[in-house]
Amino acid sequence: MAFPLSDLTSTLRVAPGPIDLGKIETDAAPGFDGDKKDGEAALAELGPQLAELQERLFADGKSGGRRSVLLVLQGMDTSGKGGTLRSTVGLVDPQGVRITSFKAPSEDERAHDFLWRITKALPPVGLIGVFDRSHYEDVLIARVRELAPPEEIERRYDAINAWEAELAAEGTTIIKCMLHISAAEQQARLLARLDDPTKHWKYNPGDVDERELWPAYQEAYEIAIARTNTEVAPWHVIPADKKWYRNLAIGTLLHDALRAFGLDWPEADFDVEHEKQRLLDEKPL
Amino acid sequence: MAFPLSDLTSTLRVAPGPIDLGKIETDAAPGFDGDKKDGEAALAELGPQLAELQERLFADGKSGGRRSVLLVLQGMDTSGKGGTLRSTVGLVDPQGVRITSFKAPSEDERAHDFLWRITKALPPVGLIGVFDRSHYEDVLIARVRELAPPEEIERRYDAINAWEAELAAEGTTIIKCMLHISAAEQQARLLARLDDPTKHWKYNPGDVDERELWPAYQEAYEIAIARTNTEVAPWHVIPADKKWYRNLAIGTLLHDALRAFGLDWPEADFDVEHEKQRLLDEKPL
């Protein structure tokens, strides 16, 4: 199974240069030759492998390794950032994961550079950090809603690239994903929330106002992706109308990133036989 | 199923007064009438209920509620704090959980009161916080290893009770659990780690030295439990030689605590029909 899924990873990686989101189908399943049932089965099969690879990363971190993973999830409202977390990150030991959901910055956070609160939320060595929204909001909503002057937005693309390059150099594998849904799919999902009283708490009337800015957001994504799509921190655009495909895609990206570390279990830094004998020889407690 | 499992919760709650851990069997399954297979099936059945109750708590927190849960896991090395986390906390949405593993305090942490770092790790409203070790180390290892003067240890029991009472008054349900294994079971688990190269990274020769202090640790637990077993923050002693029982017990305690909130889904604070119409009437994007 590893081979077709790895095709999926390379398929989703955004090529260098300008990007036209309108040309990327939102309801496709590129790189995967199967239907919903096949996709769910493939993710279920990936689960135990993901869990073992995550534990190897954790063990590496406990044994002096400096590696970690940072998964950045971006996307319009209802694109499924939360659902992805449940379905893929939920497959590994919760002790090995640090999830941060970024909201509008607080007054205290706004008193610092935009990367200050992001840096504080980085995963320690051995962990998988997940950002549900991220520093990219500072060049997305900030651009669309003009929350910062144009020259400051310009500065931020370069600041992000420098910051991510430093992070990667320290041992963090960065996986950036845009969950790509259509405006029609978002409308359907918002209507479904309104039809289900157990989902009303997730609904915010402001989301409908934001929909009017859909084209501006798509443009802001295109600019942000093109400006920050680097070798060490590449972007992936995930067609996300099909939830099963979105989950399988993110699970596969995570899997391939962990596997690329090529980690063995850490070797004992003590004499195993001697320790066994100590335990067997001890006087009764 | 709810009824027999709730019996389990009340069974595990420590009665007020002195406690003799030597009289509590470590390989028993009190309050549950079934074997390993039954226990694993009961936990699997509990999973979806736990997940829904956790989501209701999360929704409540997003809608102005002030509730949260704090699960404190204590126990000797190998007693299964990590395994419990994977098996029970892993059943709910990882976004709704904040896990903190406490190690020996850093220099910075030691420059503050012992509750300083604990307070910083408390779960926000709507979340389930889990402590893998906790402020109780400051009256357990600190007592056994004489890391603080006796009068300071004495002061800490009262400080913990006052701090936990305040926390409970603010809306946090506190569940304190001691995972209770026998010295023989710990020996078997340490030997099993030595026999499995994929587990060597979890083994620390210092753990064997610590075993010599087993009776002192048991005594320190007895004192700590008796001194801090309050109405608002009660202790539970979980027989933990049987991993399936330990998992079922913690899962049930968490379930019962969440259910006791009696939370409905938050009601919409907007006009549902009006919102539907807005979405249906919008001009094409």
Side-chain angles (χ1 to χ4, degrees):
Chain A
M1 198 184 65
F3 285 106
L5 287 182
S6 293
D7 284 353
L8 194 156
T9 293
S10 56
T11 302
L12 295 169
R13 186 154 172 168
V14 176
I19 176 171
D20 182 347
L21 285 170
K23 290 206 172 127
I24 302 179
E25 281 185 71
T26 56
D27 66 346
F32 185 71
D33 185 23
D35 61 12
K36 180 178 178 181
K37 207 177 130 193
D38 300 325
E40 288 175 348
L43 182 60
E45 202 180 318
L46 205 61
Q49 300 173 47
L50 258 179
E52 179 177 330
L53 288 167
Q54 175 272 318
E55 196 183 357
R56 284 182 192 233
L57 173 62
F58 191 81
D60 180 64
K62 291 286 178 201
S63 308
R66 302 295 302 166
R67 299 170 186 84
S68 62
V69 170
L70 177 62
L71 173 64
V72 175
L73 295 181
Q74 283 288 157
M76 300 297 283
D77 277 320
T78 78
S79 63
K81 299 181 291 293
T84 303
L85 278 165
R86 266 192 302 283
S87 306
T88 63
V89 177
L91 296 171
V92 309
D93 189 335
Q95 294 164 97
V97 176
R98 176 173 292 187
I99 298 172
T100 308
S101 294
F102 290 99
K103 310 295 173 197
S106 67
E107 197 178 336
D108 189 33
E109 289 168 343
R110 276 184 284 116
H112 293 84
D113 180 71
F114 75 106
L115 290 169
W116 180 73
R117 65 175 186 155
I118 312 292
T119 302
K120 285 205 304 175
L122 286 172
V125 294
L127 263 72
I128 299 171
V130 185
F131 285 175
D132 170 0
R133 303 190 185 275
S134 66
H135 44 305
Y136 284 97
E137 293 299 325
D138 297 293
V139 291
L140 292 168
I141 190 172
R143 181 182 191 101
V144 172
R145 289 281 184 190
E146 296 177 1
L147 306 179
E151 59 274 19
E152 166 63 10
I153 303 285
E154 281 303 310
R155 183 192 74 82
R156 288 180 183 174
Y157 300 115
D158 295 331
I160 287 173
N161 286 336
W163 180 85
E164 290 180 352
E166 167 71 7
L167 196 60
E170 283 170 6
T172 302
T173 296
I174 305 167
I175 313 170
K176 301 187 293 198
C177 298
M178 186 232 177
L179 305 185
H180 184 39
I181 58 169
S182 67
E185 177 69 16
Q186 188 192 54
Q187 184 192 42
R189 290 182 185 186
L190 289 172
L191 285 168
R193 281 187 185 172
L194 289 170
D195 276 333
D196 181 352
T198 76
K199 301 266 167 67
H200 284 170
W201 66 276
K202 293 187 181 184
Y203 184 92
N204 175 0
D207 297 347
V208 181
D209 306 327
E210 218 66 10
R211 270 176 70 75
E212 289 175 21
L213 299 167
W214 187 277
Y217 273 105
Q218 298 293 301
E219 190 193 10
Y221 266 106
E222 288 172 346
I223 295 167
I225 290 172
R227 291 286 298 271
T228 63
N229 188 27
T230 60
E231 191 64 40
V232 293
W235 273 102
H236 307 78
V237 172
I238 319 287
D241 284 1
K242 290 180 168 59
K243 294 177 182 176
W244 67 264
Y245 177 77
R246 172 202 76 198
N247 294 341
L248 177 62
I250 304 284
T252 303
L253 290 172
L254 199 51
H255 170 271
D256 289 0
L258 289 167
R259 200 180 48 177
F261 287 135
L263 291 171
D264 286 322
W265 293 105
E267 283 193 36
D269 56 1
F270 51 84
D271 181 335
V272 175
E273 289 309 317
H274 173 72
E275 290 299 317
K276 275 190 205 175
Q277 214 50 55
R278 275 177 76 204
L279 273 162
L280 293 168
D281 289 348
E282 72 185 9
K283 54 183 190 302
L285 296 171
Chain B
M1 196 184 65
F3 284 107
L5 286 182
S6 292
D7 284 354
L8 194 155
T9 292
S10 57
T11 302
L12 294 170
R13 187 154 170 168
V14 176
I19 177 171
D20 182 348
L21 286 171
K23 290 207 173 127
I24 302 178
E25 282 185 71
T26 56
D27 65 346
F32 185 72
D33 185 24
D35 60 11
K36 180 178 178 181
K37 208 177 130 193
D38 300 324
E40 288 175 346
L43 182 60
E45 204 179 317
L46 205 60
Q49 300 174 46
L50 259 179
E52 181 178 327
L53 288 166
Q54 175 271 319
E55 196 182 358
R56 284 182 192 235
L57 173 63
F58 191 82
D60 180 64
K62 290 285 177 200
S63 309
R66 303 295 303 165
R67 300 170 185 85
S68 62
V69 170
L70 178 63
L71 173 65
V72 175
L73 296 180
Q74 283 287 157
M76 301 294 286
D77 277 320
T78 79
S79 62
K81 299 180 292 292
T84 304
L85 278 165
R86 264 191 303 283
S87 305
T88 64
V89 177
L91 296 171
V92 309
D93 188 335
Q95 294 165 97
V97 176
R98 177 174 293 187
I99 299 172
T100 309
S101 294
F102 289 99
K103 309 296 173 196
S106 66
E107 197 177 336
D108 188 31
E109 289 169 344
R110 275 185 283 113
H112 292 85
D113 180 70
F114 75 106
L115 290 170
W116 180 74
R117 65 174 186 156
I118 313 291
T119 302
K120 286 207 302 174
L122 285 172
V125 293
L127 264 72
I128 299 171
V130 185
F131 286 175
D132 170 1
R133 303 189 185 276
S134 66
H135 43 306
Y136 284 97
E137 293 298 325
D138 296 294
V139 291
L140 292 168
I141 190 171
R143 182 181 190 102
V144 172
R145 290 282 183 190
E146 297 176 1
L147 305 179
E151 60 275 19
E152 165 64 9
I153 303 285
E154 281 304 309
R155 183 192 74 82
R156 288 180 183 175
Y157 300 116
D158 295 331
I160 287 173
N161 287 337
W163 181 83
E164 289 180 352
E166 167 71 6
L167 195 60
E170 284 170 6
T172 303
T173 296
I174 306 167
I175 313 169
K176 300 187 294 196
C177 299
M178 185 230 179
L179 305 184
H180 185 39
I181 57 169
S182 67
E185 178 69 16
Q186 188 192 55
Q187 183 191 42
R189 291 183 184 185
L190 289 172
L191 285 168
R193 281 187 185 174
L194 290 170
D195 276 334
D196 181 352
T198 75
K199 300 266 166 67
H200 284 169
W201 65 276
K202 293 187 180 185
Y203 184 92
N204 175 0
D207 296 345
V208 181
D209 306 326
E210 218 67 8
R211 267 176 71 75
E212 288 174 23
L213 300 167
W214 187 277
Y217 273 105
Q218 298 294 299
E219 190 194 8
Y221 266 105
E222 288 171 346
I223 295 167
I225 290 172
R227 291 287 298 271
T228 63
N229 188 27
T230 60
E231 191 63 40
V232 294
W235 273 102
H236 307 78
V237 172
I238 319 288
D241 284 2
K242 291 180 166 59
K243 293 177 184 176
W244 66 264
Y245 177 78
R246 172 201 77 197
N247 294 341
L248 178 63
I250 304 283
T252 303
L253 290 172
L254 199 51
H255 170 270
D256 289 0
L258 289 167
R259 202 180 44 177
F261 286 137
L263 291 172
D264 286 322
W265 293 105
E267 282 193 37
D269 56 1
F270 50 84
D271 181 334
V272 175
E273 290 310 316
H274 173 74
E275 290 300 316
K276 274 188 207 175
Q277 216 48 55
R278 275 178 76 203
L279 274 162
L280 293 169
D281 290 348
E282 72 185 7
K283 55 183 190 300
L285 297 170

